[in-house]
Amino acid sequence: MPSVQIYGAKKATGWFNHRYNQNASLERFQYHFPNSFSFEELFLPDHKGDTLFYIKDLNLSFKAWSQNERALYLNKLEANQAYFYLRTQAGDSLSNIKFFIDAIKGDKASDPNQSFNLSSTDVQLSDSRFYMENRNEPERIQFHWRNANTYLNDFLLAGRDVSAKIKEISFREGEKFVVQSGTANFLYGPKGLVVQDLGLTTSRSNLSGSLNFIMDSPSSYSSFVDSVYMDGQIVDGNIAADDIRYFSEAYPKFPTTSIQGLFEGTVNDLVLSQMELSAWQDLQILGDLHLKNTTSGKNLSLETQDLQIYGHADEAKRLISLFSDTIPAILNRAGLIEWEGSFNGGLFDFVTKSKLNSNFARLELDLDIRNLN
């Protein structure tokens, strides 16, 4: 009965648009006995007429509705080609989703006891997209994720909080950033994101551990390296610089690095503790380290009271070459290097009390260096 399905879709969207002053459209919906519905071509524009979200095919299997709890329980939610565009339009201070939520709420004061709750045993998204951009600040990172495929268990939307078990996730932004697979337990709310039992594999890196992201608002993610506070543990990771450079192109082109340890702070003001780091053939770094201006190249600053570095002079030369064209000639004769002690400063201005062992010398250093370059 296509004509009935189309008529019902137009009737439902007409009521919604009139009630909430929106311009949504729905091509067709159908009831499947005993408890399932399917929707085709669901479209909702934002307040400027751009797409807020679009879903080509949506299938819902219902379990129950609780009026007292204002809760909808689903067995399954399946969406194919679900596109979500989170934008702050030029001239706006709020995102388009915030404009939409305010329109739905109207002038009524928020009552946390009256929030809408949605749970689903399974959620599956296929061939979907997620865009996030601030058109007032084009220099900030813009997320344009495509080919997103996600499978979730125990999904729960409770007011402004979202939680789920991610059984599988993948997406890409061209060749710039490709997540091949991911698993985790997560909780997302207005002030942050908690991820436990994380397992993530990109086209260049892999990571396992747990982490917390704390921010002032969701828009903070677009200025991730300075605005999002992190803490957590890396159980095992091999991190490629190009994956970090996706979030900040100023991050130096360090080698792919194997890392374990604890971390706390923002990317540009980050404390690493109980750290075990290795790169290239011989380079190893052990101990605690405070990084400042991590993504700013020559302004990178390091502070440590007890750090151990083992490596080869050739690796030291490769690191220095990331920041300077001038390589100290003494490194040509150094061979293997062992360094241990304290350090505070950058590549060209620093204070250190430490011990340095190499093929040609054993030194105790007590240095205050200024303008080495």
Side-chain angles (χ1 to χ4, degrees), residues 93-270:
S93 59
L94 302 175
S95 68
N96 56 359
I97 188 64
K98 187 64 168 62
F99 276 99
F100 173 69
I101 292 172
D102 288 346
I104 298 299
K105 287 168 49 179
D107 297 328
K108 295 180 180 180
S110 297
D111 182 353
N113 297 319
Q114 293 296 315
S115 62
F116 173 72
N117 300 319
L118 170 68
S119 70
S120 181
T121 305
D122 295 311
V123 173
Q124 187 165 357
L125 307 178
S126 58
D127 195 18
S128 298
R129 300 179 185 179
F130 173 74
Y131 283 20
M132 185 173 77
E133 61 182 352
N134 187 333
R135 291 180 172 175
N136 299 294
E137 300 176 319
E139 72 282 356
R140 287 192 176 190
I141 184 173
Q142 316 287 328
F143 295 139
H144 296 159
W145 297 345
R146 296 172 176 262
N147 307 120
N149 296 284
T150 305
Y151 179 53
L152 310 176
N153 286 158
D154 300 331
F155 174 85
L156 175 62
L157 170 65
R160 300 172 69 185
D161 295 329
V162 182
S163 64
K165 295 178 180 178
I166 302 176
K167 307 302 290 185
E168 187 60 47
I169 187 171
S170 62
F171 60 85
R172 66 188 305 129
E173 183 171 344
E175 298 303 318
K176 291 169 55 179
F177 191 64
V178 180
V179 172
Q180 296 176 335
S181 65
T183 59
N185 298 325
F186 84 93
L187 169 64
Y188 174 78
K191 292 298 182 180
L193 172 68
V194 177
V195 180
Q196 300 291 335
D197 301 322
L198 172 67
L200 183 68
T201 301
T202 75
S203 58
R204 295 176 285 246
S205 307
N206 60 77
L207 179 69
S208 64
S210 60
L211 54 91
N212 302 319
F213 292 154
I214 302 171
M215 75 287 185
D216 292 330
S217 69
S219 62
S220 297
Y221 285 116
S222 62
S223 56
F224 185 92
V225 297
D226 293 306
S227 300
V228 178
Y229 183 89
M230 309 175 295
D231 70 78
Q233 178 181 15
I234 298 175
V235 176
D236 185 38
N238 289 281
I239 311 299
D242 282 343
D243 280 344
I244 299 178
R245 286 170 59 81
Y246 169 73
F247 296 94
S248 175
E249 292 184 355
Y251 184 77
K253 295 182 178 180
F254 291 131
T256 297
T257 302
S258 174
I259 185 170
Q260 299 176 354
L262 307 176
F263 60 89
E264 181 179 2
T266 65
V267 171
N268 275 328
D269 189 5
L270 187 63

Side-chain angles (χ1 to χ4, degrees), residues 275 285-290 302-310 338-344 350-357 363-366:
M275 177 181 60
I285 302 176
L286 308 174
D288 300 337
L289 183 62
H290 185 183
L302 313 175
E303 181 180 352
T304 179
Q305 298 303 314
D306 185 15
L307 194 70
Q308 302 172 53
I309 301 177
Y310 306 90
E338 297 181 6
W339 181 92
E340 180 178 0
S342 65
F343 183 95
N344 190 354
F350 59 86
V351 176
T352 181
K353 290 185 178 182
S354 53
K355 296 179 181 179
L356 175 66
N357 297 328
L363 304 174
E364 292 195 9
L365 307 176
D366 189 351

